[in-house]
Amino acid sequence: MKQLGILVTGGTFDKDYDLINGELGFKKTHIPEMFKRGRSALDFNIHVLMMMDSLDMVKKDRLFITRNCKDLPYENIIITHGTDTMVKTAAVIAAANLNKTVVLTGAMRPYKLGSSDGFFNLGSAVAFAQTLPSGVYVAMHGR
């Protein structure tokens, strides 16, 4: 298996609870911790493109993600993304007609809060990215 590219964009996946102001926000990505916790032996490389809520994304953000999918040397890519506009970003990437397998995934509950679907969704995305043919996919809850 060739190296897997992981592109981090933020979303609920990576949100943390701030005890001081009582709000969810971003500090750092949890993806390395998740791969370590899952005892992954895969060859992967993580690129943090942005840490933002997908509701705040605009066209230039989606084009930036697409450009990274195109320019980075991976044939198999996972993008962690907010669920609210994941389909919009997937459509922009699909329009670029890349000859790569790109899987977007996210979470309904932040990983750091526990009982998150993010861990399962990431695992599913890893499997799908390695087995599906070229195209752009959204992977949530094993589907």
Side-chain angles (χ1 to χ4, degrees), residues 54-97:
S54 71
L55 289 173
D56 296 327
M57 281 188 183
V58 295
K59 184 176 181 178
K60 73 176 178 95
D61 299 314
R62 291 183 175 82
L63 292 173
F64 178 68
I65 295 166
T66 302
R67 188 169 58 252
N68 275 274
C69 288
K70 179 183 176 192
D71 293 346
L72 290 170
Y74 316 108
E75 293 177 21
N76 307 84
I77 299 169
I78 295 170
I79 301 172
T80 61
H81 195 287
T83 57
D84 289 312
T85 67
M86 189 182 295
V87 173
K88 283 184 179 181
T89 301
V92 172
I93 298 167
N97 293 315

Side-chain angles (χ1 to χ4, degrees), residues 1 6 9 20 27 45-46 55 79-80 95 116 132 134-135 137:
M1 173 68 198
I6 314 293
T9 69
I20 303 298
K27 293 179 184 173
N45 199 1
I46 299 169
L55 289 173
I79 301 172
T80 61
S116 173
L132 290 171
S134 294
Y137 305 89

